[in-house]
Amino acid sequence: MLTIGLTGGIATGKSTVSALLRQAGFPIVDADIVAREVVEPGTPTLEKIKLAFGPGIIDNGVLNRRKLGQIVFEDGAQLKKLNDIMQPAISSAMADKINFWRLQNVPILVLDVPLLFERDYDKNKSVDKIIVVAASEEMQLSRLENRDQLSNMEARNRVKAQLPMSQKIARADYVIDNNGRIEELQEQVAILIKKIKEIASTHDAK
């Protein structure tokens, strides 16, 4: 199985690229979806977060992501505390989903992971190739402010909490530039899909 890591920065358009790859028939393991699943009401991870950050971030049994975000993105120590709780649960659930697709004998699997480099997916050989969806910081801020109704400072805090885009680009096998129109993005993805299929054929032959 050829495993493709898909990552990018916040509001660079990674989810759009992931959707296009899914439309092309590639199975996707989405770390954002997994992250929501592990904090569903009644889960041990949600209880740990409640103990760490207080009952005020829980509304009617459900995690209030906006409140939690305001806490962790303004304080590096609080963000680390959250990651220390979340990441083991996410990693375990991701491993289960990867094993499921491996048992299905799919030729290509895409791992959609925002913190791919931060969590060492590249170093521990979890992925064979890496796609980075990139956009300028100005574009990220504009999208965050419009999409999530954030202030400029809140948007900047979220961008700054991630690994700099330049470092991600330097470690990528393929870079998709998403500073332009959706049609330009779709064209880049279509070209990349052909490359991935070619690589998978060679990979399978080995």
Side-chain angles (χ1 to χ4, degrees):
M1 184 174 72
L2 178 70
T3 306
I4 304 292
L6 174 66
T7 192
I10 189 169
T12 60
K14 178 182 60 61
S15 295
T16 302
V17 173
S18 182
L20 291 170
L21 294 174
R22 190 186 300 275
Q23 289 174 18
F26 298 155
I28 310 284
V29 175
D30 188 330
D32 278 342
I33 293 176
V34 172
R36 291 179 181 276
E37 291 173 348
V38 300
V39 293
E40 288 178 349
T43 58
T45 305
L46 182 60
E47 288 304 308
K48 290 178 183 178
I49 291 174
K50 181 180 177 180
L51 287 172
F53 296 96
I57 60 163
I58 307 295
D59 291 336
N60 298 318
V62 178
L63 179 64
N64 187 316
R65 292 176 172 276
R66 182 68 182 265
K67 288 182 181 177
L68 184 59
Q70 290 173 339
I71 294 171
V72 302
F73 288 114
E74 294 178 2
D75 186 333
Q78 295 285 64
L79 181 58
K80 182 181 184 304
K81 184 197 299 185
L82 177 63
N83 281 330
D84 287 345
I85 295 170
M86 291 285 294
Q87 291 307 318
I90 293 172
S91 294
S92 177
M94 289 284 288
D96 289 342
K97 292 178 184 293
I98 291 168
N99 286 334
F100 167 80
W101 286 111
R102 195 180 302 279
L103 291 172
Q104 306 310 306
N105 292 316
V106 296
I108 301 167
L109 178 65
V110 177
L111 302 187
D112 181 343
V113 186
L115 300 179
L116 185 145
F117 295 116
E118 292 88 337
R119 300 300 158 214
D120 294 330
Y121 277 76
D122 57 330
K123 294 179 181 177
N124 63 23
K125 307 300 183 183
S126 295
V127 293
D128 300 301
K129 297 290 181 181
I130 297 170
I131 302 168
V132 167
V133 185
S136 68
E137 185 171 314
E138 292 75 15
M139 184 66 77
Q140 288 178 273
L141 294 174
S142 175
R143 289 171 178 161
L144 276 174
E145 291 170 28
N146 293 324
R147 184 189 73 188
D148 297 344
Q149 301 300 301
L150 299 178
S151 68
N152 183 263
M153 182 57 69
E154 287 176 319
R156 288 185 181 279
N157 285 340
R158 281 160 172 72
V159 171
K160 296 299 183 185
Q162 296 189 337
L163 195 68
M165 184 59 62
S166 59
Q167 293 186 30
K168 294 184 179 184
I169 290 172
R171 295 162 69 178
D173 294 294
Y174 306 104
V175 177
I176 292 178
D177 184 325
N178 192 24
N179 284 300
R181 297 177 296 112
I182 183 64
E183 293 81 5
E184 294 170 332
L185 178 66
Q186 291 169 334
E187 184 177 346
Q188 292 179 73
V189 174
I191 292 170
L192 188 54
I193 287 170
K194 291 181 180 178
K195 290 182 179 178
I196 291 173
K197 289 181 177 179
E198 290 172 0
I199 294 168
S201 297
T202 306
H203 187 82
D204 193 44
K206 293 179 180 180

